[in-house]
Amino acid sequence: MLINALVYVLHLLCAVIWVGGMFFAWMILRPAAVDMLQAPARLGLWSDVLPRFFRWVWLAVLVLPITGFGMLHLRQQGIETAPQYIQVMIGLYLVMLSLFLRIQLLLLPGLKQAVASEDWPQGGAVLGKIRRLVGINLLIGMLLVSLAGSRLTF
Ligand code: HEM
């Protein structure tokens, strides 16, 4: 059915945007920024790049559970009767969400403030924490996609 395909594609696209965006930020943009830019320019870059990326992450964070539970609803399945890999997906989603909220609500304001007041050591310290949490979320996201794709059960 068209509605099933649409919901499924939206779910996949949101997973690609979130996990793929973190991969690009961590593996490509971060080392290039370290090589090319001094601390003030680098911190300024991230305080501009992260809010732009996070607008899309907010979209993914909302659309993933809506489409995920939508698919379960269309299949007339509840969480308890869903396959194990879907239960794991929901659990890992909650972990990824809490790490994202920590970065967005607690760390990003500190980075913006450090850049505005040109406090580069403080900005570097906050950026280091953000980098670590994004790295963890990237690993969890890749694990989640691997489990979902292979439909692994334990
Ligand atoms: C509350 C959150 C979520 C729910 C309820 C949910 C639910 C589902 C459901 C019902 C499917 C269809 C599985 C099937 O066809 O048997 C699915 C597939 C998938 N989900 Fe999620 N999901 C959630 C979060 C996520 C997140 C956070 C990601 C990745 C960032 C993700 C990535 C995927 C992928 C890649 C598939 C395709 C698996 C495949 O068919 O090969 N999901 N999800």
Side-chain angles (χ1 to χ4, degrees):
M1 276 207 305
L2 189 64
I3 181 77
N4 293 44
L6 193 69
V7 172
Y8 187 78
V9 166
L10 271 178
H11 194 80
L12 283 186
L13 287 178
C14 284
V16 167
I17 288 170
W18 192 0
V19 180
M22 290 193 293
F23 185 89
F24 175 76
W26 225 92
M27 302 298 289
I28 317 288
L29 189 55
R30 186 186 59 88
V34 169
D35 282 353
M36 306 288 295
L37 302 174
Q38 299 295 315
R42 197 167 68 240
L43 290 163
L45 174 78
W46 284 113
S47 76
D48 188 66
V49 163
L50 290 174
R52 286 175 194 271
F53 174 45
F54 287 175
R55 275 176 229 144
W56 290 97
V57 178
W58 275 113
L59 184 78
V61 152
L62 293 174
V63 172
L64 279 165
I66 293 172
T67 50
F69 287 116
M71 281 189 271
L72 290 178
H73 180 73
L74 288 168
R75 295 170 191 186
Q76 302 184 335
Q77 259 179 344
I79 299 182
E80 324 78 47
T81 53
Q84 196 184 30
Y85 68 90
I86 291 178
Q87 295 171 346
V88 172
M89 185 155 24
I90 295 169
L92 291 180
Y93 166 79
L94 291 175
V95 178
M96 289 178 72
L97 175 65
S98 59
L99 292 181
F100 168 64
L101 289 179
R102 190 174 159 78
I103 299 170
Q104 166 77 77
L105 302 177
L106 299 180
L107 295 174
L108 194 57
L111 177 64
K112 283 184 182 162
Q113 200 182 335
V115 170
S117 57
E118 302 192 358
D119 185 347
W120 310 125
Q122 173 61 16
V126 178
L127 188 61
K129 288 183 191 165
I130 294 177
R131 184 181 61 223
R132 197 168 59 87
L133 291 185
V134 172
I136 295 170
N137 244 3
L138 172 60
L139 288 176
I140 298 173
M142 292 205 293
L143 175 72
L144 195 165
V145 170
S146 310
L147 289 176
S150 59
R151 302 180 182 200
L152 214 66
T153 41
F154 307 98

